[in-house]
Amino acid sequence: GDSVTQMEGPVTLSEEAFLTINCTYTATGYPSLFWYVQYPGEGLQLLLKATKADDKGSNKGFEATYRKETTSFHLEKGSVQVSDSAVYFCALIGNAGNMLTFGGGTRLMVKP
Amino acid sequence: DVKVTQSSRYLVKRTGEKVFLECVQDMDHENMFWYRQDPGLGLRLIYFSYDVKMKEKGDIPEGYSVSREKKERFSLILESASTNQTSMYLCASSLDWGHSYEQYFGPGTRLTVT
């Protein structure tokens, strides 16, 4: 079945540092890929998406590129802020259905 | 803004008790979902509903049931709570199947079964 693997956290960075959170997936065909973010005490919210190979999703300074050849969708941000501290989930919807499959989540902690 | 609310943020129950978790969405969404969130395991789908009185099992339905009597409300029921059901429970909704990727989540209920 479909699966998503994320780097284990927590990831601890200083403010203005460069962020990369790795995400790789296993799925047949051409899934759609997503990043969700969960801020402390809140529910998950969709951060960005990419629906076909080489698409780049972007939002709030975050970017991720759908790489079919490496089955990856790594999340990046050039300069993180304390307010970016949250748990980030990579997810996919495969061709076979409409259900989201989530990765394990990566906690990001940004220190001033 | 879509708002998904859950009846409790924290809940403590005893083994064997019947537990009800309530979820309400205010945007007339067709689909509603119940997940549990455990460290390192991400979110796992328990049940979902695509219409009133309609439900489908997710990946881990054992020990749970659901009810959707009204479009805006989706309840998760633990018939006889056990300690391995201690977890964070998240409810979500989406507009319809064409938008099932864009789910709106409630803040979660942290359930502890002792």
Side-chain angles (χ1 to χ4, degrees), chain A:
Chain A
D2 297 342
S3 66
V4 178
T5 303
Q6 292 180 235
M7 59 190 295
E8 289 192 21
V11 174
T12 304
L13 296 173
S14 297
E15 211 165 18
E16 299 184 1
F18 185 87
L19 168 71
T20 300
I21 299 178
N22 290 340
C23 170
T24 57
Y25 68 88
T26 301
T28 55
Y30 295 88
S32 295
L33 303 173
F34 311 92
W35 277 100
Y36 273 78
V37 58
Q38 184 180 31
Y39 297 106
E42 299 182 12
L44 280 74
Q45 53 187 277
L46 180 63
L47 179 61
L48 54 83
K49 69 180 190 290
T51 57
K52 61 183 187 295
D54 299 325
D55 266 3
K56 178 184 283 188
S58 61
N59 186 24
K60 299 182 180 180
F62 290 89
E63 293 183 339
T65 301
Y66 186 161
R67 300 287 188 201
K68 180 69 176 172
E69 64 277 12
T70 55
T71 62
S72 65
F73 192 54
H74 304 322
L75 183 68
E76 296 181 337
K77 187 175 185 183
S79 176
V80 294
Q81 306 300 313
V82 172
S83 57
D84 294 326
S85 297
V87 181
Y88 292 82
F89 292 90
C90 187
L92 67 81
I93 288 183
N95 285 353
N98 297 78
M99 292 294 109
L100 281 167
T101 298
F102 287 91
T106 302
R107 182 176 298 279
L108 170 66
M109 297 169 54
V110 180
K111 298 184 174 180

Side-chain angles (χ1 to χ4, degrees), chain B residues 5-114:
Chain B
T5 56
Q6 296 184 228
S7 51
S8 306
R9 294 299 298 269
Y10 299 93
L11 208 52
V12 179
K13 296 291 181 181
R14 294 192 180 275
T15 300
E17 279 193 83
K18 191 169 185 176
V19 181
F20 293 86
L21 302 182
E22 306 286 340
C23 174
V24 177
Q25 52 94 2
D26 66 358
M27 283 300 290
D28 202 35
H29 281 181
E30 292 184 2
N31 300 339
M32 297 188 74
F33 308 83
W34 275 107
Y35 296 90
R36 63 177 281 175
Q37 180 182 7
D38 298 290
L41 297 178
L43 277 69
R44 292 179 292 166
L45 182 65
I46 304 172
Y47 267 97
F48 65 97
S49 169
Y50 51 91
D51 201 352
V52 175
K53 297 190 184 296
M54 305 305 289
K55 59 186 179 184
E56 293 286 343
K57 294 179 180 179
D59 298 322
I60 52 164
E62 296 78 19
Y64 304 94
S65 61
V66 291
S67 172
R68 194 170 181 196
E69 297 295 319
K70 294 185 178 181
K71 191 174 186 179
E72 68 271 17
R73 188 179 297 270
F74 191 35
S75 302
L76 179 70
I77 303 154
L78 287 66
E79 295 289 342
S80 177
S82 62
T83 54
N84 62 13
Q85 293 177 310
T86 291
S87 186
M88 173 71 86
Y89 289 88
L90 296 175
C91 176
S93 70
S94 69
L95 178 63
D96 52 34
W97 282 123
H99 295 83
S100 59
Y101 66 88
E102 187 167 10
Q103 296 184 17
Y104 295 83
F105 284 80
T109 295
R110 185 166 294 282
L111 173 67
T112 302
V113 182
T114 60

